[in-house]
PDB file of all heavy atoms in Angstrom:
ATOM      1  N   GLN A 173      15.471  19.705  18.116  1.00  0.00           N
ATOM      2  CA  GLN A 173      15.578  20.344  19.435  1.00  0.00           C
ATOM      3  C   GLN A 173      16.211  19.451  20.510  1.00  0.00           C
ATOM      4  O   GLN A 173      17.001  19.931  21.318  1.00  0.00           O
ATOM      5  CB  GLN A 173      14.211  20.853  19.896  1.00  0.00           C
ATOM      6  CG  GLN A 173      13.726  22.098  19.163  1.00  0.00           C
ATOM      7  CD  GLN A 173      14.778  23.204  19.092  1.00  0.00           C
ATOM      8  OE1 GLN A 173      15.242  23.703  20.109  1.00  0.00           O
ATOM      9  NE2 GLN A 173      15.175  23.566  17.881  1.00  0.00           N
ATOM     10  N   PRO A 174      15.906  18.133  20.548  1.00  0.00           N
ATOM     11  CA  PRO A 174      16.531  17.280  21.580  1.00  0.00           C
ATOM     12  C   PRO A 174      18.060  17.220  21.505  1.00  0.00           C
ATOM     13  O   PRO A 174      18.706  16.830  22.470  1.00  0.00           O
ATOM     14  CB  PRO A 174      15.923  15.897  21.307  1.00  0.00           C
ATOM     15  CG  PRO A 174      14.642  16.166  20.596  1.00  0.00           C
ATOM     16  CD  PRO A 174      14.886  17.387  19.767  1.00  0.00           C
ATOM     17  N   LEU A 175      18.641  17.604  20.357  1.00  0.00           N
ATOM     18  CA  LEU A 175      20.102  17.557  20.215  1.00  0.00           C
ATOM     19  C   LEU A 175      20.775  18.861  20.625  1.00  0.00           C
ATOM     20  O   LEU A 175      21.998  18.909  20.792  1.00  0.00           O
ATOM     21  CB  LEU A 175      20.480  17.238  18.762  1.00  0.00           C
ATOM     22  CG  LEU A 175      20.002  15.904  18.189  1.00  0.00           C
ATOM     23  CD1 LEU A 175      20.479  15.766  16.748  1.00  0.00           C
ATOM     24  CD2 LEU A 175      20.514  14.732  19.032  1.00  0.00           C
ATOM     25  N   LYS A 176      19.982  19.910  20.808  1.00  0.00           N
ATOM     26  CA  LYS A 176      20.564  21.239  20.983  1.00  0.00           C
ATOM     27  C   LYS A 176      21.358  21.410  22.273  1.00  0.00           C
ATOM     28  O   LYS A 176      22.297  22.178  22.331  1.00  0.00           O
ATOM     29  CB  LYS A 176      19.445  22.296  20.928  1.00  0.00           C
ATOM     30  CG  LYS A 176      18.837  22.465  19.549  1.00  0.00           C
ATOM     31  CD  LYS A 176      19.770  23.160  18.582  1.00  0.00           C
ATOM     32  CE  LYS A 176      19.896  24.640  18.904  1.00  0.00           C
ATOM     33  NZ  LYS A 176      20.873  25.312  18.013  1.00  0.00           N
ATOM     34  N   ASN A 177      21.006  20.669  23.322  1.00  0.00           N
ATOM     35  CA  ASN A 177      21.708  20.837  24.612  1.00  0.00           C
ATOM     36  C   ASN A 177      22.665  19.688  24.897  1.00  0.00           C
ATOM     37  O   ASN A 177      23.073  19.475  26.043  1.00  0.00           O
ATOM     38  CB  ASN A 177      20.691  20.966  25.754  1.00  0.00           C
ATOM     39  CG  ASN A 177      19.822  19.718  25.892  1.00  0.00           C
ATOM     40  OD1 ASN A 177      19.876  18.846  25.029  1.00  0.00           O
ATOM     41  ND2 ASN A 177      19.047  19.636  26.955  1.00  0.00           N
ATOM     42  N   LYS A 178      23.049  18.955  23.868  1.00  0.00           N
ATOM     43  CA  LYS A 178      23.929  17.782  24.064  1.00  0.00           C
ATOM     44  C   LYS A 178      25.409  18.094  23.852  1.00  0.00           C
ATOM     45  O   LYS A 178      26.252  17.207  23.918  1.00  0.00           O
ATOM     46  CB  LYS A 178      23.519  16.651  23.097  1.00  0.00           C
ATOM     47  CG  LYS A 178      22.067  16.185  23.252  1.00  0.00           C
ATOM     48  CD  LYS A 178      21.826  15.547  24.606  1.00  0.00           C
ATOM     49  CE  LYS A 178      20.396  14.994  24.693  1.00  0.00           C
ATOM     50  NZ  LYS A 178      20.078  14.465  26.020  1.00  0.00           N
ATOM     51  N   HIS A 179      25.725  19.357  23.545  1.00  0.00           N
ATOM     52  CA  HIS A 179      27.126  19.793  23.354  1.00  0.00           C
ATOM     53  C   HIS A 179      27.843  18.980  22.269  1.00  0.00           C
ATOM     54  O   HIS A 179      29.037  18.653  22.407  1.00  0.00           O
ATOM     55  CB  HIS A 179      27.898  19.730  24.678  1.00  0.00           C
ATOM     56  CG  HIS A 179      27.222  20.447  25.789  1.00  0.00           C
ATOM     57  ND1 HIS A 179      27.057  21.816  25.823  1.00  0.00           N
ATOM     58  CD2 HIS A 179      26.617  19.968  26.924  1.00  0.00           C
ATOM     59  CE1 HIS A 179      26.409  22.174  26.918  1.00  0.00           C
ATOM     60  NE2 HIS A 179      26.111  21.075  27.600  1.00  0.00           N
ATOM     61  N   LEU A 180      27.139  18.674  21.196  1.00  0.00           N
ATOM     62  CA  LEU A 180      27.738  17.936  20.085  1.00  0.00           C
ATOM     63  C   LEU A 180      28.635  18.877  19.280  1.00  0.00           C
ATOM     64  O   LEU A 180      28.328  20.050  19.115  1.00  0.00           O
ATOM     65  CB  LEU A 180      26.653  17.377  19.156  1.00  0.00           C
ATOM     66  CG  LEU A 180      25.539  16.543  19.792  1.00  0.00           C
ATOM     67  CD1 LEU A 180      24.486  16.185  18.746  1.00  0.00           C
ATOM     68  CD2 LEU A 180      26.112  15.280  20.432  1.00  0.00           C
ATOM     69  N   ASP A 181      29.749  18.336  18.769  1.00  0.00           N
ATOM     70  CA  ASP A 181      30.545  19.133  17.834  1.00  0.00           C
ATOM     71  C   ASP A 181      30.528  18.521  16.434  1.00  0.00           C
ATOM     72  O   ASP A 181      31.030  19.112  15.482  1.00  0.00           O
ATOM     73  CB  ASP A 181      31.990  19.334  18.334  1.00  0.00           C
ATOM     74  CG  ASP A 181      32.856  18.089  18.202  1.00  0.00           C
ATOM     75  OD1 ASP A 181      32.320  16.974  17.990  1.00  0.00           O
ATOM     76  OD2 ASP A 181      34.083  18.223  18.331  1.00  0.00           O
ATOM     77  N   THR A 182      29.912  17.332  16.319  1.00  0.00           N
ATOM     78  CA  THR A 182      29.858  16.624  15.039  1.00  0.00           C
ATOM     79  C   THR A 182      28.500  15.936  14.924  1.00  0.00           C
ATOM     80  O   THR A 182      28.011  15.360  15.894  1.00  0.00           O
ATOM     81  CB  THR A 182      30.982  15.561  14.955  1.00  0.00           C
ATOM     82  OG1 THR A 182      32.237  16.203  15.206  1.00  0.00           O
ATOM     83  CG2 THR A 182      31.031  14.904  13.587  1.00  0.00           C
ATOM     84  N   LEU A 183      27.907  16.023  13.746  1.00  0.00           N
ATOM     85  CA  LEU A 183      26.608  15.382  13.518  1.00  0.00           C
ATOM     86  C   LEU A 183      26.646  14.626  12.194  1.00  0.00           C
ATOM     87  O   LEU A 183      26.904  15.211  11.143  1.00  0.00           O
ATOM     88  CB  LEU A 183      25.487  16.427  13.484  1.00  0.00           C
ATOM     89  CG  LEU A 183      24.062  15.886  13.240  1.00  0.00           C
ATOM     90  CD1 LEU A 183      23.599  15.015  14.410  1.00  0.00           C
ATOM     91  CD2 LEU A 183      23.078  17.035  13.008  1.00  0.00           C
ATOM     92  N   ILE A 184      26.399  13.319  12.281  1.00  0.00           N
ATOM     93  CA  ILE A 184      26.360  12.492  11.073  1.00  0.00           C
ATOM     94  C   ILE A 184      24.973  12.561  10.453  1.00  0.00           C
ATOM     95  O   ILE A 184      23.969  12.290  11.111  1.00  0.00           O
ATOM     96  CB  ILE A 184      26.702  11.022  11.394  1.00  0.00           C
ATOM     97  CG1 ILE A 184      28.125  10.897  11.943  1.00  0.00           C
ATOM     98  CG2 ILE A 184      26.536  10.141  10.151  1.00  0.00           C
ATOM     99  CD1 ILE A 184      28.486   9.491  12.407  1.00  0.00           C
ATOM    100  N   LEU A 185      24.921  12.925   9.176  1.00  0.00           N
ATOM    101  CA  LEU A 185      23.666  12.862   8.427  1.00  0.00           C
ATOM    102  C   LEU A 185      23.495  11.411   7.995  1.00  0.00           C
ATOM    103  O   LEU A 185      23.921  11.014   6.917  1.00  0.00           O
ATOM    104  CB  LEU A 185      23.710  13.808   7.218  1.00  0.00           C
ATOM    105  CG  LEU A 185      24.063  15.278   7.533  1.00  0.00           C
ATOM    106  CD1 LEU A 185      24.055  16.116   6.261  1.00  0.00           C
ATOM    107  CD2 LEU A 185      23.113  15.872   8.569  1.00  0.00           C
ATOM    108  N   GLY A 186      22.892  10.618   8.879  1.00  0.00           N
ATOM    109  CA  GLY A 186      22.841   9.165   8.698  1.00  0.00           C
ATOM    110  C   GLY A 186      21.722   8.682   7.818  1.00  0.00           C
ATOM    111  O   GLY A 186      21.142   7.623   8.054  1.00  0.00           O
ATOM    112  N   CYS A 187      21.415   9.459   6.801  1.00  0.00           N
ATOM    113  CA  CYS A 187      20.446   9.072   5.776  1.00  0.00           C
ATOM    114  C   CYS A 187      20.820   9.879   4.542  1.00  0.00           C
ATOM    115  O   CYS A 187      21.042  11.099   4.646  1.00  0.00           O
ATOM    116  CB  CYS A 187      19.019   9.402   6.217  1.00  0.00           C
ATOM    117  SG  CYS A 187      17.776   9.140   4.924  1.00  0.00           S
ATOM    118  N   THR A 188      20.907   9.244   3.393  1.00  0.00           N
ATOM    119  CA  THR A 188      21.381   9.958   2.205  1.00  0.00           C
ATOM    120  C   THR A 188      20.372  10.983   1.684  1.00  0.00           C
ATOM    121  O   THR A 188      20.704  11.791   0.822  1.00  0.00           O
ATOM    122  CB  THR A 188      21.777   8.977   1.081  1.00  0.00           C
ATOM    123  OG1 THR A 188      20.722   8.029   0.893  1.00  0.00           O
ATOM    124  CG2 THR A 188      23.059   8.249   1.421  1.00  0.00           C
ATOM    125  N   HIS A 189      19.159  10.975   2.229  1.00  0.00           N
ATOM    126  CA  HIS A 189      18.202  12.041   1.900  1.00  0.00           C
ATOM    127  C   HIS A 189      18.579  13.360   2.599  1.00  0.00           C
ATOM    128  O   HIS A 189      18.258  14.439   2.101  1.00  0.00           O
ATOM    129  CB  HIS A 189      16.785  11.657   2.358  1.00  0.00           C
ATOM    130  CG  HIS A 189      16.100  10.641   1.503  1.00  0.00           C
ATOM    131  ND1 HIS A 189      16.418   9.305   1.525  1.00  0.00           N
ATOM    132  CD2 HIS A 189      15.087  10.767   0.608  1.00  0.00           C
ATOM    133  CE1 HIS A 189      15.632   8.656   0.686  1.00  0.00           C
ATOM    134  NE2 HIS A 189      14.815   9.517   0.112  1.00  0.00           N
ATOM    135  N   TYR A 190      19.197  13.269   3.752  1.00  0.00           N
ATOM    136  CA  TYR A 190      19.358  14.440   4.604  1.00  0.00           C
ATOM    137  C   TYR A 190      20.255  15.550   4.049  1.00  0.00           C
ATOM    138  O   TYR A 190      20.031  16.726   4.385  1.00  0.00           O
ATOM    139  CB  TYR A 190      19.845  14.027   5.996  1.00  0.00           C
ATOM    140  CG  TYR A 190      18.875  13.183   6.790  1.00  0.00           C
ATOM    141  CD1 TYR A 190      19.202  12.708   8.058  1.00  0.00           C
ATOM    142  CD2 TYR A 190      17.621  12.837   6.281  1.00  0.00           C
ATOM    143  CE1 TYR A 190      18.311  11.927   8.793  1.00  0.00           C
ATOM    144  CE2 TYR A 190      16.730  12.053   7.004  1.00  0.00           C
ATOM    145  CZ  TYR A 190      17.089  11.590   8.260  1.00  0.00           C
ATOM    146  OH  TYR A 190      16.219  10.821   8.984  1.00  0.00           O
ATOM    147  N   PRO A 191      21.281  15.256   3.225  1.00  0.00           N
ATOM    148  CA  PRO A 191      22.064  16.362   2.676  1.00  0.00           C
ATOM    149  C   PRO A 191      21.238  17.355   1.848  1.00  0.00           C
ATOM    150  O   PRO A 191      21.641  18.504   1.694  1.00  0.00           O
ATOM    151  CB  PRO A 191      23.106  15.646   1.790  1.00  0.00           C
ATOM    152  CG  PRO A 191      23.288  14.322   2.472  1.00  0.00           C
ATOM    153  CD  PRO A 191      21.917  13.946   2.951  1.00  0.00           C
ATOM    154  N   LEU A 192      20.095  16.917   1.345  1.00  0.00           N
ATOM    155  CA  LEU A 192      19.229  17.854   0.630  1.00  0.00           C
ATOM    156  C   LEU A 192      18.623  18.884   1.592  1.00  0.00           C
ATOM    157  O   LEU A 192      18.167  19.945   1.187  1.00  0.00           O
ATOM    158  CB  LEU A 192      18.126  17.096  -0.116  1.00  0.00           C
ATOM    159  CG  LEU A 192      18.655  16.334  -1.342  1.00  0.00           C
ATOM    160  CD1 LEU A 192      18.117  14.917  -1.386  1.00  0.00           C
ATOM    161  CD2 LEU A 192      18.320  17.054  -2.621  1.00  0.00           C
ATOM    162  N   LEU A 193      18.638  18.551   2.884  1.00  0.00           N
ATOM    163  CA  LEU A 193      18.164  19.480   3.928  1.00  0.00           C
ATOM    164  C   LEU A 193      19.344  20.130   4.671  1.00  0.00           C
ATOM    165  O   LEU A 193      19.154  20.797   5.685  1.00  0.00           O
ATOM    166  CB  LEU A 193      17.304  18.718   4.945  1.00  0.00           C
ATOM    167  CG  LEU A 193      15.961  18.179   4.447  1.00  0.00           C
ATOM    168  CD1 LEU A 193      15.405  17.149   5.431  1.00  0.00           C
ATOM    169  CD2 LEU A 193      14.964  19.310   4.238  1.00  0.00           C
ATOM    170  N   ARG A 194      20.526  19.946   4.159  1.00  0.00           N
ATOM    171  CA  ARG A 194      21.747  20.354   4.885  1.00  0.00           C
ATOM    172  C   ARG A 194      21.748  21.822   5.334  1.00  0.00           C
ATOM    173  O   ARG A 194      22.079  22.096   6.498  1.00  0.00           O
ATOM    174  CB  ARG A 194      22.978  20.058   4.030  1.00  0.00           C
ATOM    175  CG  ARG A 194      24.275  20.379   4.751  1.00  0.00           C
ATOM    176  CD  ARG A 194      25.511  20.032   3.967  1.00  0.00           C
ATOM    177  NE  ARG A 194      26.686  20.216   4.800  1.00  0.00           N
ATOM    178  CZ  ARG A 194      27.672  19.344   4.915  1.00  0.00           C
ATOM    179  NH1 ARG A 194      27.629  18.215   4.248  1.00  0.00           N
ATOM    180  NH2 ARG A 194      28.697  19.598   5.689  1.00  0.00           N
ATOM    181  N   PRO A 195      21.399  22.784   4.463  1.00  0.00           N
ATOM    182  CA  PRO A 195      21.441  24.182   4.914  1.00  0.00           C
ATOM    183  C   PRO A 195      20.526  24.435   6.119  1.00  0.00           C
ATOM    184  O   PRO A 195      20.882  25.194   7.035  1.00  0.00           O
ATOM    185  CB  PRO A 195      20.967  24.975   3.696  1.00  0.00           C
ATOM    186  CG  PRO A 195      21.216  24.072   2.531  1.00  0.00           C
ATOM    187  CD  PRO A 195      21.008  22.687   3.049  1.00  0.00           C
ATOM    188  N   VAL A 196      19.365  23.799   6.115  1.00  0.00           N
ATOM    189  CA  VAL A 196      18.408  23.986   7.218  1.00  0.00           C
ATOM    190  C   VAL A 196      18.945  23.317   8.490  1.00  0.00           C
ATOM    191  O   VAL A 196      18.865  23.883   9.582  1.00  0.00           O
ATOM    192  CB  VAL A 196      17.029  23.380   6.853  1.00  0.00           C
ATOM    193  CG1 VAL A 196      15.982  23.826   7.869  1.00  0.00           C
ATOM    194  CG2 VAL A 196      16.597  23.796   5.465  1.00  0.00           C
TER     195      VAL A 196
END
Side-chain angles (χ1 to χ4, degrees):
Q173 287 311 300
L175 299 180
K176 290 288 287 177
N177 61 351
K178 301 295 184 185
H179 308 293
L180 307 175
D181 74 345
T182 306
L183 180 66
I184 298 175
L185 306 181
C187 173
T188 49
H189 285 75
Y190 295 178
L192 288 134
L193 293 165
R194 183 177 187 133
V196 191

